[in-house]
Amino acid sequence: MKLLVLLMYVLSYLFIVLRPNIAPVTTMLFGLTSVLLVGWMNLADFSRLVDFNTMFVLIGMMITVSILKERGVFSAIAERIVKLGKGKILTIVTLVYVSIFFLSAFLDNVTTILIFIPILLYICDISGIDYKLVTANAIFFSNLGGMTTAIGDPPNIVIYSASRLSFVAFILYLMPIGFLIAVATLVVTLRDMGRVDLRMEEKEQYSTPSRVLLMLIPFGLVVFGMAFHEVLELELGIVALFGALILMFSERKSFQEIASEIDWDTLFLIAGLYLLDAAIERLGLFLPLITILKPFARSVLLSVGVLWGSIVLTGFLSALPVTMIMLAVVKKLILYGASTKLYWALALGVGIGGNLTPVASMCNIVGNNVILRYKNERISFGEFMKASLKPVLTGGIISSVYLLLLK
């Protein structure tokens, strides 16, 4: 039985890497089969196997972002950024990168990429800047921003729910280091672009009314509720879902109307991975690795090992699956006396490693598809790695120093 479950586990990851379009289906199928084989499958156990707090956070944020997008909130923000840049190319690029970073911290980073990459491609067309470098860096800032909060991207949501660390703790421990990496990357990126003196034609009028930006108020209240959910004695998933339902009510949206905006593939992929991990843990298949690492549980270098292991694995297996694999090991090591900073090492590792290749995260895949639509060519695997290798190594080195200094 162990060999059969392990085979399904390996096959699931092969489908994720080689056939991502059907990976959510195969992962859920293999996950259900695995827990059936280990005798852990009944409806009473299902909520113990799948973390519904994570699922509710994802569903709530997906609904919220879809409503804000439909009301033109993100387009309005993009217009204001271009206006603020006063037509100066490098200033606008800098503002776009900074906006992508901070918006991705609290919103779906795929949405920020869909909004801002067309703007960056237009800037590249009129200035002659290499669009592959500019857009690859935009994707980097999006992944980096998503790494800095508990709700920034699916891997962090999973880590948050498993670690039981607070929403504020994620911001306090990850936002400063994420911002430092972003600044270092921005300096190198602007230097690589060289001096660009061209200017964009400024528009005097903007079509999006200011009242659209008022839609950010209810979203801000949701984020506020998340920050203080422990004081309110509410799970993060309940806060996210409650905020989404209020927005749906205010916009008179039915579940049928909003269903198409929910990324069901991601939800089923996560649920399937939870089931696979439950089966693997039940059979003790991670025990040999945990036994090897157990003597190093109190070593200061363990967090650095988790960081770089996550960076490399994420580059080729994708961020979410690697998070699920590493999390099972990290939780056991913490029980054996390892520091909880292993959670920060994992979050940093998958966040930075998610930029290594064009298949390392959903944001990379979607961003490359947008470029294909506008330019009729993708950023190749080699070109993407060439553009991202320097930021990834920079981020990894800065994070290593940070983890060694962190108590």
Side-chain angles (χ1 to χ4, degrees), residues 78-93:
E79 286 182 351
R80 272 24 179 216
I81 290 169
V82 173
K83 184 178 181 180
L84 191 62
K86 297 180 179 179
K88 297 178 181 178
I89 298 293
L90 290 186
T91 301
I92 294 172
V93 170

Side-chain angles (χ1 to χ4, degrees), residues 183-215:
V183 170
T185 304
L186 186 61
V187 170
V188 173
T189 299
L190 295 179
R191 186 191 63 192
D192 290 343
M193 286 183 186
R195 294 184 174 274
V196 180
D197 297 321
L198 294 175
R199 296 171 62 88
M200 291 177 62
E201 180 182 352
E202 295 185 59
K203 295 183 180 180
E204 296 298 328
Q205 300 296 326
Y206 289 83
S207 58
T208 308
S210 298
R211 61 182 173 80
V212 169
L213 295 178
L214 293 176
M215 287 290 293

Side-chain angles (χ1 to χ4, degrees), residues 107-309:
L107 300 170
D108 175 17
N109 53 8
V110 170
T111 298
T112 59
I113 284 299
L114 288 172
I115 293 164
F116 286 108
I117 277 190
I119 295 173
L120 291 173
L121 289 175
Y122 171 67
I123 292 172
C124 292
D125 285 342
I126 66 172
S127 65
I129 303 173
D130 181 6
Y131 74 88
K132 292 180 179 178
L133 173 65
V134 172
T135 51
N137 278 305
I139 293 169
F140 180 84
F141 279 98
S142 183
N143 284 322
L144 197 62
M147 178 193 77
T148 59
T149 68
I151 58 171
D153 57 18
N156 271 26
I157 294 172
V158 171
I159 294 170
Y160 161 80
S161 196
S163 67
R164 311 308 296 173
L165 295 166
S166 71
F167 182 89
V168 174
F170 270 76
I171 296 175
L172 292 177
Y173 281 92
L174 296 178
M175 182 64 79
I177 185 66
F179 184 73
L180 181 61
I181 296 170
V183 170
T185 304
L186 186 61
V187 170
V188 173
T189 299
L190 295 179
R191 186 191 63 192
D192 290 343
M193 286 183 186
R195 294 184 174 274
V196 180
D197 297 321
L198 294 175
R199 296 171 62 88
M200 291 177 62
E201 180 182 352
E202 295 185 59
K203 295 183 180 180
E204 296 298 328
Q205 300 296 326
Y206 289 83
S207 58
T208 308
S210 298
R211 61 182 173 80
V212 169
L213 295 178
L214 293 176
M215 287 290 293
L216 287 174
I217 294 176
F219 175 72
L221 292 175
V222 171
V223 174
F224 179 83
M226 289 177 168
F228 294 96
H229 74 99
E230 291 175 318
V231 177
L232 299 171
E233 296 184 350
L234 292 172
E235 290 284 358
L236 201 63
I238 299 299
V239 176
L241 198 58
F242 192 75
L245 290 171
I246 291 175
L247 273 177
M248 287 179 65
F249 175 76
S250 66
E251 293 294 304
R252 297 175 175 82
K253 293 283 187 183
S254 68
F255 285 109
Q256 187 68 34
E257 291 176 292
I258 213 72
S260 62
E261 299 297 327
I262 296 175
D263 187 352
W264 297 105
D265 278 346
T266 296
L267 295 176
F268 277 102
L269 178 65
I270 291 174
L273 289 170
Y274 271 125
L275 295 175
L276 281 167
D277 281 354
I280 289 287
E281 188 173 353
R282 176 70 176 264
L283 295 174
L285 295 180
F286 282 134
L287 283 178
L289 177 59
I290 294 168
T291 302
I292 292 171
L293 294 176
K294 186 179 176 180
F296 305 98
R298 298 182 185 276
S299 171
V300 294
L301 295 177
L302 181 60
S303 59
V304 178
V306 170
L307 169 75
W308 285 100

Side-chain angles (χ1 to χ4, degrees), residues 1-2 34-35 37-41 45 48-49 275-287:
M1 184 185 295
K2 284 188 177 182
S34 296
V35 292
L37 286 173
V38 300
W40 238 6
M41 188 58 211
D45 288 332
R48 190 157 54 91
L49 303 179
L275 295 175
L276 281 167
D277 281 354
I280 289 287
E281 188 173 353
R282 176 70 176 264
L283 295 174
L285 295 180
F286 282 134
L287 283 178

